[in-house]
């Protein structure tokens, strides 16, 4: 795991097309903006874990998340 310190307004670049930017810091919370191509899946860990729990599915790091993305999209639409 890479651990970095960032200040408000600073970014981290992953590959050449994914940017993680610190938008705001208030109290114990950090607002993060992520700019990535549409084909890159970005999930909050707690949402991913909730979907896994409800569907009985597990997703390992590095596996294709397209089916899970569809499941999340369907749940958000409900």
């Amino acid at each position: 795991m890479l651990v970095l310190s960032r200040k408000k307004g600073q970014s981290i670049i992953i590959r050449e097309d994914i940017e993680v930017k610190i938008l705001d810091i208030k109290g114990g919370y950090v607002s993060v903006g992520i700019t990535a191509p549409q084909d890159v899946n970005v999930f909050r860990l707690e949402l991913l874990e909730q979907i896994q729990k409800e569907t009985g599915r597990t997703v390992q790091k590095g596996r294709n998340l397209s089916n899970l993305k569809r499941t999340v999209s369907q749940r958000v639409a409900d």
Side-chain angles (χ1 to χ4, degrees), residues 27-40:
Y29 294 94
V30 177
S31 295
V32 176
I34 301 170
T35 303
Q38 282 192 315
D39 64 328
V40 174

Side-chain angles (χ1 to χ4, degrees), residues 1-64:
M1 174 187 297
L2 174 65
V3 178
L4 300 170
S5 296
R6 301 279 74 202
K7 295 179 183 177
K8 182 178 175 179
Q10 292 182 326
S11 295
I12 298 166
I13 301 297
I14 303 171
R15 298 187 333 195
E16 65 275 353
D17 57 352
I18 301 172
E19 178 183 10
V20 179
K21 185 171 186 174
I22 306 305
L23 302 176
D24 201 9
I25 303 169
K26 289 184 180 175
Y29 294 94
V30 177
S31 295
V32 176
I34 301 170
T35 303
Q38 282 192 315
D39 64 328
V40 174
N41 297 315
V42 178
F43 297 102
R44 293 186 337 236
L45 178 59
E46 64 274 10
L47 176 60
L48 182 62
E49 289 172 342
Q50 180 69 29
I51 297 296
Q52 290 173 343
K53 181 179 175 183
E54 290 179 9
T55 62
R57 295 186 202 171
T58 59
V59 175
Q60 297 173 0
K61 290 181 181 178
R63 291 186 72 191
N64 186 336

